[in-house]
Amino acid sequence: MATAGKVIKCKAAVAWEPNKPLVIEEIEVAPPQANEVRIKIVATGVCHSDLYHLFESMNNAYPIVLGHEGAGIIESVGPGVTEFQPGDKVIPLPVPQCRECRFCKSPKTNQCEKAWVADSGNVMALEDSRFTCKGKKVLQFMGTSTFSEYTVLNQIAVAKIDPAAPLDKVCLLGCGICTGYGAAVNTAKVEPGSTCAVFGLGAVGLAAVMGCYVAGAKRIIAVDINPEKFEKAKVFGATDFINPKDHDKPIHEVLSEMTNGGVDFSLECCGNVGVMRSALESCVKGWGVSVIVGWTDMHDFAARPIQLIAGRTWKGSLFGGFKSKDGVPEMVKAYLNKKIKLDEFITHNMTLAQVNDAIELMKQGKCIRTVLSVSPQ
C-alpha cells in the first residue's frame, strides 16, 4: 500500500484523563517495527474493560487510546513478519500467543509470558507505543487500541481470520464473546445434562449462557438485577431467570432451593467480588465448579474455607481459556458455520465519532454490545 513505511495521520478517540469524555483527535501512527504489523481497524466493540480503565481503575496510564475488541485489515508489516501480508483480515488479541514460551507450550493455560499483562497488569498498557498526538506519546490499551483508524501490534497479538468473515460482527470475538463462551466450555467444562447459573447478563454473561447451551446444559439459570435482559438471555439458551431484588433471602439460598442443593456450574460475569462469593455459594457441594470471569482488580474477595473443603472448585478464566491465535480463527469459523451466535449481541451500531454515546449506553445498561464503525473497508 502507498502508506507502507510512512507515518499515518488518522482519527482516534483519545482518553486524556480518567472520568472524562474521550476526544476525537488526529494522531500519528508510526510504521510497524520488527515483528509488528499495522492494521486498519474497520470495526470495534465497546467492552466494559474500556469503561473499567476510564472510570474505576486507580492507575494513571494516560493519555491512552482505549478499545481492544476490534477487527481490521493488515495495512503493512514490519521486518521479520512472515505470517501476515497486506490485505489479510485479522483480529487484534488482548491476550497474545507467542507459541514459544513455557505457558504457550503448555496445554494447561492460555497465558503468554510476552503479554502486556505479564509486565504491567496494573496499568493495562506498555510504555512502548506507536501513537503520538500533539507531540505527546499516547499509550496503547492492552497493547491493541482499536478506538483508532490505524493501530500497530506485535504479530504475536494478531489472529488471521477467514476472508469471508464480516468484520463488523466478528470483532466481538476479540474479547467479550470468547471470554464468556470459553469460560463455560473451556474453563468450567460444562457437561451435558448439567445445571448452570450465570451471574450478570452483559455480553460476557450472555456468551457464557450460549456456551452452557452449546455444551449441553439442561438448565441454565440467568441471574441479573435488570429484568429487561431475560428475553435476550432466552435467545442464547437460558431456561430460568432470577432477579435478586425479587427475593428477601441471599441469592445462593434461592438457587439452592431451586436446584436441590446447588448448581453444578456457576459463572460470575460482572466483576463484583460480592457476586463472586454468591456464585461460589450457589454451587452444589461435592463437585460444584464456580468460575470468576468478570474483570476487576479493585478489592479482595473472600469465602469460608469449608465451602472449598466440601468439594467445590473456585477458578478464574482469562479470555475464556482460548489460546488466542488458535482459538479466535476457530470461533470465526464456528460463527460462519452458524454454530455460535454473534449478530444477536449487537444492539447498537454507531461511528467512532459517537464513542462517548456508546460508553454512556453501556454505563446505563442500555445495550449489550455497541459496534463502532471505525474505517470503511
Side-chain angles (χ1 to χ4, degrees):
M1 295 187 180
T3 47
K6 300 175 183 173
V7 172
I8 289 179
K9 292 185 177 181
C10 69
K11 292 280 190 281
V14 178
W16 289 102
E17 54 185 316
N19 298 303
K20 293 287 172 65
L22 308 187
V23 182
I24 303 297
E25 303 275 16
E26 183 179 83
I27 68 167
E28 295 85 41
V29 182
Q33 298 185 13
N35 301 312
E36 294 179 342
V37 297
R38 188 160 58 185
I39 301 169
K40 181 172 90 166
I41 297 295
V42 171
T44 183
V46 179
C47 174
H48 190 269
S49 298
D50 302 308
L51 275 66
Y52 173 82
H53 184 86
L54 195 60
F55 298 112
E56 298 176 49
S57 176
M58 305 298 286
N59 68 64
N60 193 34
Y62 291 91
I64 192 167
V65 173
L66 298 172
H68 61 286
E69 190 177 76
I73 298 166
I74 298 284
E75 173 269 341
S76 60
V77 303
V81 174
T82 56
E83 187 181 346
F84 303 98
Q85 56 190 17
D88 286 346
K89 282 188 177 181
V90 294
I91 291 179
L93 305 169
V95 178
Q97 182 185 356
C98 74
R99 296 197 166 118
E100 295 171 354
C101 73
R102 62 188 175 129
F103 290 104
C104 283
K105 287 180 176 178
S106 169
K108 296 178 180 178
T109 183
N110 65 333
Q111 299 197 35
C112 173
E113 283 188 333
K114 297 181 183 176
W116 58 270
V117 76
D119 295 321
S120 54
N122 61 329
V123 297
M124 293 178 144
L126 296 173
E127 289 184 11
D128 209 10
S129 168
R130 302 290 169 258
F131 291 171
T132 52
C133 181
K134 299 179 178 176
K136 290 187 77 168
K137 178 169 279 196
V138 178
L139 297 172
Q140 290 185 239
F141 182 60
M142 292 190 176
T144 53
S145 292
T146 56
F147 292 174
S148 173
E149 291 175 334
Y150 287 86
T151 188
V152 176
L153 283 88
N154 191 298
Q155 63 178 342
I156 67 171
V158 182
K160 186 174 173 179
I161 61 171
D162 192 311
L167 298 178
D168 60 343
K169 305 290 194 298
V170 299
C171 61
L172 299 185
L173 295 172
C175 181
I177 310 312
C178 283
T179 295
Y181 181 88
V185 174
N186 300 329
T187 310
K189 293 183 167 55
V190 169
E191 296 164 354
S194 60
T195 297
C196 303
V198 176
F199 291 73
L201 299 177
V204 173
L206 292 171
V209 169
M210 179 170 69
C212 294
Y213 177 79
V214 171
K218 76 167 188 285
R219 194 172 183 194
I220 303 166
I221 304 166
V223 183
D224 200 292
I225 57 174
N226 181 354
E228 293 176 11
K229 295 196 172 170
F230 185 36
E231 287 306 313
K232 190 59 111 167
K234 272 186 186 171
V235 171
F236 294 102
T239 57
D240 302 75
F241 184 81
I242 298 178
N243 182 347
K245 291 183 173 179
D246 293 341
H247 300 272
D248 55 9
K249 61 176 71 170
I251 194 66
H252 72 272
E253 291 183 15
V254 176
L255 280 161
S256 182
E257 289 172 8
M258 285 175 65
T259 57
N260 188 28
V263 299
D264 301 304
F265 300 95
S266 68
L267 298 108
E268 185 282 335
C269 299
C270 42
N272 178 305
V273 294
V275 178
M276 291 171 190
R277 179 166 183 166
S278 294
L280 174 72
E281 293 174 341
S282 300
C283 282
V284 68
K285 66 182 180 182
W287 62 77
V289 174
S290 187
V291 181
I292 297 172
V293 190
W295 179 279
T296 184
D297 195 26
M298 300 291 292
H299 308 284
D300 291 347
F301 62 102
R304 295 288 177 98
I306 187 64
Q307 291 166 340
L308 299 182
I309 293 168
R312 297 176 185 88
T313 301
W314 211 1
K315 58 207 299 192
S317 182
L318 179 70
F319 196 58
F322 283 106
K323 285 188 181 285
S324 54
K325 268 184 183 285
D326 300 333
V328 168
E330 289 301 314
M331 287 288 279
V332 170
K333 282 182 189 167
Y335 167 68
L336 293 174
N337 293 331
K338 298 186 166 46
K339 292 181 178 173
I340 62 166
K341 301 179 190 296
L342 285 182
D343 304 45
E344 292 81 358
F345 289 96
I346 301 169
T347 51
H348 299 77
N349 287 279
M350 296 183 175
T351 64
L352 181 63
Q354 296 171 292
V355 64
N356 289 309
D357 297 332
I359 288 170
E360 199 57 34
L361 278 174
M362 178 163 271
K363 274 177 75 177
Q364 295 178 12
K366 292 183 177 176
C367 69
I368 301 300
R369 266 297 184 267
T370 299
V371 172
L372 304 178
S373 171
V374 181
S375 304
Q377 290 195 51

